């Protein structure tokens, strides 16, 4: 075997010399000299002479050892072991690709046909010793192909050709063997028939059976060993592979020479090649095994059929089997005691396995499975099962093998992954982990835990109230006055969380107390003040440092807003100071204005309408204030805390509400700007949305003022002035924006003024309607959804008052006043009745050629209009009824017609149409069913 | 109103004004979007709703042309490292 291109025989010889401790003082022969007489070759100093005896007839130890090495031979256990252990690695890695053709290869091939080999011995039917537990049958193709595969780089075709050849060879071999065996059997049978004594013949038969069984068992064992060997090899290689590919981070060499890398790569390449070859080999072997088994079975059946009828059943008796097993057991024991190294991986770890980092358990499992299957097959064969059954069982066995292999693969992947990860085990000590936890928790502690966790807290309160639990407990851990940790929204059940919470609480308490202690210590060290250099107050530098040091202002009261909002609180204070002086001046002017009845317009403080930015800034300040007020409400002291505290709280609260009132700019005179600043504030969606939160804190008087202003400037609202956009059909971003604003207005602004109107008396409603119609485009207002909603609100309120369901009975003057207003409104709207419907307005935008196209959802858009008309009809006189009916006749008929003639998409639309019409007709005392087509 | 009275002390305060307003966001990778701003942080991570995104795609070739791909999303989280610019949409 030439490892590094040396002449291999000398190497071998040198090793032998060294090992045997002989010929130490021999002169070194110089083979290359010219005076060399060639006698050296004749010398028997190779120590190869006894190799045949030692290694079962193979010439070269390292090569012919392949598969047919006689492990049970007791000679030189140490050396065997070493050679064996090195064998796969040697082949896989250490052999350079361009080594010289192996000299010993032909020898190994020849040994197959050698008469001295165990194989041919067995063919001759003699001397079948139980001490050689392996069979050479599967060996020849495997070994030869393995040898050939290693001699240089070859193509796939070559490999295939070789494999085919080897398969052919083995088949011929098997045929030959079969024929010979048959011949032998027949001969023997003939001979035996001739023999007179039945007992003797039985004895012979039994002997034969036992030997055959033994033979089979040995075969199974040998195959197992082969497979195991290959698996170990593979595993080992893969392991090495992995280890080289992903060294643990701490074990990475600092610098690797490029040569080393190259070497690694080459080795990896080798390993891959080797793995592929192994796989091919295994497949091949499996095929072969199947074929051999098949042939065996045929042979057996032939044998059985050829048995003479007068003979006793040829199957062995139970006693025979027991004896056989006993014998096998003993033999195995003997082998083990004789030379432990010669039985690799049978029941003790093989030499290879010793070197593995972990013992693959499932390989053992697989082995056990395989051996069990072999055993089972053996028993089955003995019992003489039918061939079909056997076939089925064999298929089953194959499936199991495949399954086991798959499982093995899976398990190995998992194990390698775990091993890969386990490199990081115990990288951190417990104190490291505690340290990090402390840092993390310390970041959670804040001065105002409730505000910092505001949204989660509010959400949690909502959830709790929905579940019917008490809503007032704040999920906040507090540590005296210094701060606390917000716990977020409550979680649903689970026993783990409370534990974690408790642990965190303890952690935080510890941290807080530690911090306090440190603070005290710092106080002790204050004599260092003024010393050169600076003392570091922080004990852990690893804590994240605050990047931005924004001056949070000197706000003494704890702000309920988010920390970044604190500057605003501060600013808004300054703001409000200037504003309050402003407001005072304005109030003075307004007073003068009202006194002079608004005649002298030059006295009016005209202002430019608020810019977009001013609106947004004001709204942000408003949000700050609202949050402040809401926090203050939450902090409302209990009556038992003393009148003084309550008084102080009330003062704070009133101050904040006053600020909001001022900020809302409601008190600015009407003509200040167009649109009025307050209306400008409502132009932003968030301005609309904040209104209910603001008005909640206002008293009745302020609300009336606000409502009056809103109604007086109603047409200035963006939702009114841009309502026409909603009638267009194409879907533009502007239209979507108006839609969004309209929704916000309906849900927020109307919602906040609704309670005042609902509670208002007839005089108020009358005044408001008058205000709405005074100097404003009432028709435009009525054509918008918010305007229509407002009008409907007024009309229904009046209807309720008329029904007498109010505390304050209005006077006749009030009624007369209202009738005046109503008639005026009716008069204004009369020519526009059909145009109040969005469907009519939209139809104007439809293309001329198809004016009757259906707009989806149009009926639900029309519904508020029908409602308004119904409310109008309730108030109207009989003449007004006639006007209503005549102007709306077409619309009503259109709806009823399309509903009854089925010009609708579905039943739902028909119902909506009819319901809409009936809503209006019922107010007139009619019904859609009375209309006949 | 001057800077101090409007409560604007740092650049991010300007973005605060645009909360729940429609904003125009320019992003790396020739992307632009408009949407209603719901939340932001110091990294300029944004949460936008009702978003329309425009992606400029330059077609290489003799006559390099620019095509615009658009898509709409109801709600979007924009990671801050891609944000170049946030502004109120230009009002027409």
């Amino acid at each position: 075997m030439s490892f590094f291109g040396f002449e291999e025989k000398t190497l071998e010889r040198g090793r032998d010399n060294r090992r045997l401790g002989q010929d130490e003082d021999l002169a070194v022969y110089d083979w290359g000299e010219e005076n060399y007489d060639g006698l050296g070759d004749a010398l028997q100093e190779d120590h190869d002479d006894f190799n045949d005896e030692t290694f079962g007839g193979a010439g070269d130890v390292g090569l012919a050892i392949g598969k047919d090495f006689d492990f049970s031979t007791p000679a030189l256990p140490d050396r065997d072991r070493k050679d064996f252990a090195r064998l796969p690695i040697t082949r896989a890695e250490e052999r350079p690709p361009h080594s010289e053709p192996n000299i010993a290869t032909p020898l190994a091939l020849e040994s197959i046909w050698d008469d001295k080999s165990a194989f041919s011995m067995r063919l001759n039917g003699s001397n079948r010793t139980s001490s050689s537990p392996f069979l050479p049958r599967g060996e020849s193709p495997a070994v030869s192909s393995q040898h050939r595969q290693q001699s240089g780089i070859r193509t796939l075709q070559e490999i295939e050709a070789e494999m085919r050849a080897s398969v052919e060879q083995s088949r011929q071999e098997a045929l030959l063997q079969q024929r010979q065996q048959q011949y032998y059997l027949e001969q023997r049978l003939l001979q035996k028939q001739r023999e007179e004594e039945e007992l003797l013949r039985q004895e012979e038969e039994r002997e034969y059976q036992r030997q055959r069984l033994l033979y089979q068992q040995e075969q199974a064992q040998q195959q197992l060993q082969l497979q195991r060997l290959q698996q170990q090899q593979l595993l080992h290689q893969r392991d090495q592979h992995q280890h080289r590919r992903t060294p643990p981070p701490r074990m990475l060499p600092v610098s690797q020479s490029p040569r080393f890398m190259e070497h690694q790569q080459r080795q990896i390449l080798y390993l891959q090649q080797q793995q592929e070859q192994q796989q091919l080999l295994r497949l091949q072997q499996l095929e072969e095994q199947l074929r051999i088994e098949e042939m065996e079975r045929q042979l057996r059946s032939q044998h059985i059929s050829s048995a003479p009828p007068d003979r006793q059943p040829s199957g062995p008796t139970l006693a025979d089997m027991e004896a056989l097993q006993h014998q096998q057991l003993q033999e195995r024991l003997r082998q083990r005691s004789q030379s432990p190294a010669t039985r690799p991986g049978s029941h003790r770890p093989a030499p290879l396995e010793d070197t593995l980092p972990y013992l693959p358990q499932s390989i053992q499992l697989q082995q056990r499975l395989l051996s069990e299957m072999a055993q089972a097959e053996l028993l089955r064969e003995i019992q003489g099962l039918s061939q079909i059954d056997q076939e089925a069982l064999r298929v089953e066995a194959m499936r199991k093998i495949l399954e086991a292999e798959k499982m093995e693969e899976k398990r190995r992947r998992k194990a390698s992954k775990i091993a890969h990860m386990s490199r990081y085990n115990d990288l951190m000590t417990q104190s490291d982990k505690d340290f990090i936890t402390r840092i993390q928790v310390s970041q959670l502690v804040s001065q105002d835990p409730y505000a910092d966790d505001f949204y989660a807290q509010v959400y949690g309160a909502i959830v709790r109230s929905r579940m019917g639990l008490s809503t007032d407990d704040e999920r906040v851990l507090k540590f005296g006055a210094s701060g606390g940790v917000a716990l977020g929204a409550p979680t649903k059940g689970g026993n783990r969380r409370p534990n974690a919470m408790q642990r965190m609480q303890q952690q935080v308490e510890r941290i807080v107390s530690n911090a306090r202690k440190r603070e005290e210590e710092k106080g002790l060290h204050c004599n260092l003040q003024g010393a050169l250099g600076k003392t570091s107050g922080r004990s852990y530098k690893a804590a994240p440092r605050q990047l931005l040091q924004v001056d949070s202002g000197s706000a003494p009261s704890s702000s309920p807003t988010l920390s970044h909002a604190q500057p605003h609180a501060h600013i808004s204070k300054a703001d409000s100071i200037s504003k309050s002086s402003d407001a005072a001046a304005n109030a003075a002017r307004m007073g003068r204005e009202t006194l002079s009845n608004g005649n002298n317009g030059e006295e009016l403080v005209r202002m430019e309408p608020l810019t977009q930015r001013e609106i947004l800034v004001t709204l942000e300040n408003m949000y700050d204030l609202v949050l402040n007020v809401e926090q203050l409400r939450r902090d409302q002291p209990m009556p038992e805390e003393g009148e003084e505290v309550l008084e102080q709280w009330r003062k704070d609260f009133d101050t904040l509400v006053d600020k909001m009132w001022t900020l809302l700019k409601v008190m600015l005179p009407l003509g200040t700007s167009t649109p009025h600043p307050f209306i400008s504030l409502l132009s932003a969606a968030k301005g609309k949305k904040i209104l209910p939160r603001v008005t909640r804190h206002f008293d009745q008087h302020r609300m009336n003022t606000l409502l009056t202003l809103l109604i007086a400037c109603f047409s200035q609202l963006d939702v009114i002035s841009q309502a026409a956009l909603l009638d267009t059909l194409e879907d533009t971003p502007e239209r979507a924006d108006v839609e969004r604003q309209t929704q916000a207005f309906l849900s927020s602004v109307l919602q906040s003024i609704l309670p005042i109107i609902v509670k208002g008396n007839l005089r108020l409603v009358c005044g408001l309607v008058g205000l709405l119609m005074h100097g404003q485009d009432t028709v435009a207002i009525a054509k918008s959804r918010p305007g229509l909603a407002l009008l409907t609100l007024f009309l229904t309120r009046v209807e309720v008052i008329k029904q007498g369901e109010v505390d304050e009975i209005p006077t006749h003057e009030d009624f007369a006043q209202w009738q005046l207003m109503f008639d005026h409104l009716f008069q204004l709207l009369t020519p526009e009745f059909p145009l109040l419907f969005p469907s009519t307005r939209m139809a104007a935008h439809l293309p001329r050629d198809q004016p009757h196209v259906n707009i989806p959802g149009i009926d639900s858009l029309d519904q508020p209009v029908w409602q308004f008309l119904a409310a109008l009809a309730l108030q109207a006189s009989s003449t007004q009824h006639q006007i209503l009916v005549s102007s709306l006749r077409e619309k009503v008929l259109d709806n009823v017609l399309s509903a009854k003639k089925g010009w609708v998409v579905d039943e739902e639309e028909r119902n909506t149409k009819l319901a809409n019409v009936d809503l209006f007709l019922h107010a007139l005392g009619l019904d859609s069913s009375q209309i006949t087509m | 109103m001057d800077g101090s009275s409007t409560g604007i002390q740092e650049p991010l305060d300007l973005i605060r004004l645009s909360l729940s307003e429609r904003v125009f966001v320019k992003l790396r990778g020739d992307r632009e979007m408009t949407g209603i701003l719901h939340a932001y942080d110091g990294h300029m991570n944004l949460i936008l709703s009702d978003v329309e995104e425009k992606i400029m795609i330059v077609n290489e070739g003799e006559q390099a042309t620019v095509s615009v791909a658009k898509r709409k999303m109801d709600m979007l989280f924009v990671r801050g490292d891609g944000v170049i610019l946030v502004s109120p949409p230009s009002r027409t």
Side-chain angles (χ1 to χ4, degrees):
Chain A
M1 180 158 294
S2 65
F3 288 95
F4 302 102
F6 291 126
E7 182 64 37
E8 83 157 42
K9 277 208 165 187
T10 52
L11 194 78
E12 197 70 34
R13 197 180 296 124
R15 201 176 57 187
D16 285 350
N17 286 348
R18 243 176 292 124
R19 190 176 297 124
L20 294 175
Q22 296 171 354
D23 307 330
E24 297 252 353
D25 300 319
L26 269 180
V28 179
Y29 293 104
D30 196 353
W31 309 107
E33 293 290 313
E34 281 162 4
N35 58 0
Y36 173 56
D37 54 5
L39 283 174
D41 289 338
L43 280 173
Q44 291 216 332
E45 58 179 9
D46 284 340
H47 305 296
D48 285 336
D49 338 16
F50 301 108
N51 275 1
D52 281 9
E53 273 178 38
T54 315
F55 302 114
D60 190 291
V61 176
L63 285 164
I65 200 163
K67 303 249 158 76
D68 58 351
F69 177 65
D70 190 349
F71 297 113
S72 61
T73 12
L76 291 177
D78 274 341
R79 184 180 163 175
D80 287 348
R81 182 180 184 171
K82 212 151 117 199
D83 280 341
F84 181 75
R86 203 184 40 222
L87 182 66
I89 310 161
T90 307
R91 283 191 181 151
E93 296 164 20
E94 295 177 13
R95 197 177 182 80
H98 299 296
S99 65
E100 295 124 290
N102 207 306
I103 304 162
T105 309
L107 260 176
L109 283 170
E110 248 168 75
S111 70
I112 296 158
W113 303 104
D114 196 345
D115 273 355
K116 272 185 276 176
S117 75
F119 175 62
S120 50
M121 303 267 258
R122 194 170 293 109
L123 281 185
N124 292 337
S126 64
N127 199 11
R128 200 180 296 161
T129 54
S130 58
S131 61
S132 66
F134 62 92
L135 284 180
R137 225 190 274 174
E139 132 231 284
S140 49
V143 170
S144 58
S145 67
Q146 216 171 359
H147 283 310
R148 268 179 251 148
Q149 274 164 7
Q150 279 154 9
S151 55
I153 299 159
R154 294 162 333 126
T155 64
L156 193 65
Q157 279 93 342
E158 276 178 279
I159 296 171
E160 276 179 8
E162 252 172 358
M163 280 166 58
R164 241 178 273 125
S166 61
V167 166
E168 189 61 35
Q169 190 186 349
S170 70
R171 189 181 298 149
Q172 281 172 358
E173 236 170 84
L175 273 169
L176 186 69
Q177 179 196 8
Q178 190 184 348
R179 235 172 272 143
Q180 278 180 341
Q181 234 167 5
Q182 226 168 321
Y183 174 73
Y184 159 69
L185 285 169
E186 279 164 11
Q187 284 286 318
R188 213 171 58 151
L189 280 169
L190 279 169
Q191 187 194 351
K192 277 173 193 166
Q193 271 179 345
R194 254 180 268 122
E195 278 173 343
E196 292 290 314
E197 289 169 26
E198 193 70 26
L199 199 72
L200 189 66
R201 206 172 58 181
Q202 265 188 0
E203 193 60 42
E204 285 243 344
E205 182 60 33
R206 236 178 255 164
E207 171 65 21
Y208 166 72
Q209 283 290 340
R210 192 169 50 200
Q211 280 179 352
R212 204 164 56 80
L213 279 170
L214 233 138
Y215 164 83
Q216 282 163 354
Q217 190 131 358
E218 281 164 4
Q219 190 185 24
Q221 256 181 357
Q222 191 223 5
Q223 274 159 358
L224 272 177
Q225 281 176 351
L226 275 176
Q227 212 155 351
R228 200 178 311 139
L229 194 67
Q230 280 162 358
Q231 277 173 354
Q232 284 164 2
Q233 224 167 314
L234 247 158
L235 197 74
H236 187 65
Q237 284 165 1
R238 209 171 289 168
D239 233 275
Q240 283 185 332
H241 202 100
Q242 278 174 355
H243 275 294
R244 286 195 195 127
R245 225 171 2 194
T246 59
R250 282 185 290 187
M251 294 182 196
L252 256 176
V254 180
S255 69
Q256 287 183 343
S257 70
R259 244 186 90 196
F260 176 67
M261 295 298 282
E262 197 186 25
H263 177 66
Q264 244 184 340
Q265 279 177 349
R266 215 169 42 201
Q267 274 192 339
I268 288 168
L269 209 70
Y270 266 125
L271 287 170
Q272 283 170 349
Q273 278 178 355
Q274 195 69 24
Q275 276 178 9
E276 284 163 20
Q277 284 176 359
Q278 291 278 2
Q279 228 130 47
L280 279 172
L281 209 66
R282 201 195 291 188
L283 265 175
Q284 193 185 335
Q285 280 176 346
L286 272 170
E287 263 178 62
E288 210 175 339
Q289 184 187 344
L290 284 174
R291 203 171 44 244
I292 288 164
E293 279 173 16
E294 186 61 30
M295 281 191 298
E296 243 176 17
R297 213 164 285 120
Q298 282 172 1
L299 183 70
R300 207 176 308 122
S301 60
Q302 278 171 2
H303 165 65
I304 290 164
S305 60
S306 67
D310 61 332
R311 294 182 62 191
Q312 281 188 353
S314 59
T317 61
L318 198 68
D320 275 348
M321 275 176 61
E322 273 176 6
L324 178 74
Q325 279 175 350
H326 186 66
Q327 190 189 344
Q328 280 175 346
L329 201 70
Q330 286 214 326
E331 179 203 329
R332 222 175 280 163
L333 282 169
R334 199 179 62 234
Q335 279 174 0
R336 214 180 303 166
S337 61
Q338 268 176 350
S339 61
T342 47
R343 296 186 54 81
S346 55
H347 291 283
R348 58 178 297 281
L352 252 179
E353 284 173 334
D354 280 335
T355 65
L356 290 177
Y358 55 88
L359 189 70
Q361 287 177 339
S362 76
I363 282 189
Q364 288 185 337
L365 195 121
Q366 196 180 343
Q367 284 165 5
R368 210 187 313 138
L369 197 75
L370 281 168
S371 63
E372 272 170 14
M373 283 191 314
Q375 200 84 17
E377 198 172 9
L378 192 72
L379 285 169
R380 250 181 274 121
E381 282 172 10
I382 291 161
Q383 284 154 5
L385 284 172
S386 73
Q387 271 203 325
I388 298 158
D389 281 353
Q390 283 180 11
E391 190 67 26
L393 282 166
R394 206 157 46 82
V395 168
E396 176 77 3
M398 285 302 294
R399 201 178 53 77
K400 273 185 183 163
I401 290 171
L402 284 175
E403 249 171 43
E405 274 176 4
K406 221 180 280 171
M407 291 291 288
E408 164 63 12
E409 178 67 25
K410 216 169 164 185
R411 190 208 59 79
R412 203 180 294 143
R413 230 181 295 143
K414 200 172 155 195
S416 73
K417 205 181 272 176
I418 289 169
H420 185 78
M421 285 195 301
S422 68
R423 295 177 304 163
Y424 302 107
N425 280 358
D426 298 329
L427 216 59
M428 287 169 76
T429 62
Q430 188 56 40
S431 67
D432 284 343
K433 290 172 192 165
D434 285 347
F435 181 61
I436 286 173
T437 316
R438 267 205 305 281
I439 291 173
Q440 285 174 337
V441 169
S442 71
Q443 299 299 312
L444 294 173
V445 180
S446 71
Q447 287 294 310
D448 193 350
Y450 184 87
D452 275 1
D453 200 24
F454 179 76
Y455 292 102
Q457 299 287 347
V458 170
Y459 173 73
I462 291 169
V463 166
R464 278 196 299 274
S465 72
R466 208 174 287 158
M467 282 171 3
L469 301 170
S470 70
T471 55
D472 32 298
D473 64 319
E474 296 176 359
R475 292 186 54 80
V476 168
L477 290 177
K478 280 203 171 138
F479 310 105
S482 59
V485 176
L487 296 181
T491 49
K492 288 166 205 136
N495 295 326
R496 251 187 60 201
R497 273 301 281 247
N499 267 338
M501 280 299 172
Q502 278 172 3
R503 247 184 295 134
M504 197 185 82
Q505 192 166 356
Q506 286 163 3
Q507 278 258 22
V508 172
E509 268 162 13
R510 206 168 60 225
I511 288 165
V512 169
S513 63
N514 283 349
R516 269 205 204 112
K517 245 180 257 164
R518 258 202 308 282
E519 207 63 33
E520 284 163 17
E521 277 172 29
K522 225 203 264 173
L524 294 176
H525 289 306
C526 63
N527 53 356
L528 283 172
Q529 249 179 356
L532 286 178
K534 57 178 175 181
T535 53
S536 165
R538 290 175 82 88
S539 64
Y540 33 82
K541 303 247 185 271
R545 197 160 42 141
Q546 197 176 0
L547 257 182
L548 290 175
Q549 306 248 333
V550 182
D551 178 25
S552 62
S554 51
S557 64
S558 66
S559 161
T561 58
L562 300 176
S563 52
H564 78 265
Q566 280 176 348
H568 295 280
H570 169 64
I571 285 310
S572 64
K573 226 195 296 169
D575 214 15
S576 65
I577 291 164
S578 63
K579 279 283 147 54
S580 58
S581 58
D582 264 7
N586 280 339
R589 274 189 216 107
M590 213 159 66
R592 254 174 287 151
E593 213 176 88
T594 41
L595 277 176
S596 55
N597 253 339
N599 283 342
N600 38 0
E602 69 274 358
E603 291 271 349
L604 186 77
V605 193
R606 289 293 302 190
M607 289 202 305
E608 285 297 306
L610 290 182
T611 63
Q612 183 67 21
R613 202 183 129 177
E614 282 169 331
I615 293 167
L616 294 175
V617 170
T618 312
L619 285 174
E620 282 311 312
N621 290 333
M622 186 68 86
Y623 269 100
D624 282 346
L625 280 174
V626 166
L627 288 171
N628 270 323
V629 170
E630 285 173 357
Q631 176 65 23
L632 207 59
R633 276 215 146 171
R634 256 179 251 116
D635 292 344
Q636 184 167 12
M638 296 292 147
E640 61 263 26
E641 283 182 54
E643 192 59 34
E644 234 171 82
V645 183
L646 210 61
E647 192 56 40
Q648 180 59 39
W649 176 86
R650 216 170 278 140
K651 229 167 102 185
D652 290 346
F653 185 78
D654 287 346
T655 319
L656 281 176
V657 173
D658 283 347
K659 270 187 204 167
M660 285 200 302
W661 180 248
T662 316
L663 207 56
L664 214 50
K665 302 183 199 298
V666 176
M667 289 311 285
L668 293 187
L670 264 183
T672 308
S673 64
T674 310
H676 188 274
F678 172 68
I679 302 296
S680 292
L681 290 181
L682 288 184
S683 68
K686 53 180 163 180
K688 296 183 178 77
K689 279 174 190 160
I690 203 178
L691 199 64
R693 289 170 78 178
V694 175
T695 53
R696 210 165 46 192
H697 307 294
F698 289 157
D699 55 17
Q700 182 71 31
H701 176 68
R702 276 181 173 167
M703 278 314 291
N704 281 348
T705 317
L706 189 143
L707 180 60
T708 311
L709 181 66
L710 181 70
I711 300 295
C713 300
F714 206 75
S715 60
Q716 294 173 3
L717 283 166
D718 60 329
V719 285
I720 308 296
S721 57
Q722 290 172 1
L725 264 176
L726 288 176
D727 298 332
T728 57
L729 288 167
E730 68 261 55
D731 196 13
T732 57
E734 291 80 16
R735 188 183 185 277
D737 194 50
V738 175
E739 179 68 40
R740 191 168 73 96
Q741 299 283 2
T742 307
Q743 288 295 341
F745 187 89
L746 289 174
S747 63
S748 296
V749 180
L750 279 188
Q751 216 68 83
S752 56
I753 59 168
L754 186 73
I756 306 148
I757 296 176
V758 164
K759 274 186 252 161
N761 54 20
L762 186 60
R763 199 179 299 148
L764 178 79
V765 175
C766 197
L768 289 177
V769 172
L771 211 54
L772 196 64
M773 288 187 296
H774 176 72
Q776 295 190 79
D777 187 355
T778 318
V779 176
I781 291 171
K783 277 180 184 174
S784 71
R785 253 189 284 163
L788 209 63
L790 190 70
L791 285 172
T792 315
L793 200 60
F794 286 143
L795 290 175
T796 46
R797 176 61 194 164
V798 173
E799 185 61 26
V800 169
I801 293 170
K802 274 189 176 173
Q803 306 273 326
E805 293 163 14
V806 278
D807 315 327
E808 188 191 345
I809 306 295
T811 58
H812 284 286
E813 285 152 42
D814 291 337
F815 274 122
Q817 183 72 20
W818 166 248
Q819 198 57 49
L820 217 66
M821 284 293 165
F822 178 80
D823 290 342
H824 187 47
L825 179 70
F826 195 90
Q827 200 186 343
L828 277 172
L829 294 181
T830 300
E832 307 286 340
F833 279 140
L835 284 175
L836 292 183
F837 293 96
S839 59
T840 318
R841 296 199 299 267
M842 279 179 172
H845 290 275
L846 283 172
R848 286 194 179 279
D849 48 334
Q850 41 177 350
H852 293 294
V853 78
N854 250 334
I855 302 154
I858 193 70
D859 290 305
S860 55
L861 277 180
D862 277 351
Q863 197 177 25
V865 185
W866 290 112
Q867 269 170 357
F868 167 72
L869 290 171
L872 206 64
L874 281 178
Q875 304 281 325
S877 61
S878 52
T879 28
Q880 282 166 337
H881 276 174
Q882 277 177 1
I883 297 168
L884 264 179
V885 169
S886 59
S887 53
L888 290 175
R889 166 194 219 96
E890 208 175 314
K891 194 80 193 166
V892 171
L893 284 179
D894 198 31
N895 269 16
V896 174
L897 201 70
S898 53
K900 289 199 170 168
K901 297 261 174 170
W903 297 340
V904 285
V905 181
D906 52 13
E907 197 60 30
E908 196 183 335
E909 194 188 330
R910 181 207 301 272
N911 290 340
T912 322
K913 274 186 194 297
L914 285 180
N916 278 346
V917 174
D918 278 342
L919 201 67
F920 170 63
L921 290 180
H922 286 172
L924 296 169
L926 300 166
D927 194 90
S928 60
S929 55
Q930 294 171 322
I931 300 169
T932 49
M933 296 294 143
Chain B
M1 288 191 203
D2 57 14
S4 63
S5 67
T6 52
I8 291 161
Q9 287 197 329
E10 50 174 332
L12 275 180
D13 286 349
L14 282 170
I15 297 182
R16 192 180 175 221
L17 297 182
S18 289
L19 276 173
S20 94
E21 288 288 302
R22 191 164 279 280
V23 290
F24 169 81
V25 183
K26 194 169 168 169
L27 293 163
R28 290 211 239 174
D30 301 327
R31 284 156 195 261
E32 296 173 348
M33 54 178 63
T34 63
I36 292 158
L37 179 70
H38 288 286
Y40 68 93
D41 65 8
H43 305 286
M44 298 288 272
N45 295 326
L46 308 171
I47 291 173
L48 301 173
S49 74
D50 196 13
V51 188
E52 183 180 293
E53 184 181 12
K54 288 183 195 169
I55 308 161
M56 310 289 176
I57 300 161
V58 178
N59 303 309
E60 304 278 346
E62 292 278 310
Q63 295 269 309
T65 53
V66 176
S67 56
V68 180
K70 284 188 190 179
R71 59 173 177 158
K72 288 190 173 180
M73 283 141 293
D74 284 341
M75 193 60 89
L76 195 69
F77 176 91
V78 182
R79 193 174 141 82
D81 65 351
V83 174
I84 292 172
L85 174 142
V86 179
S87 83
S90 55
R91 291 193 167 251
T92 49

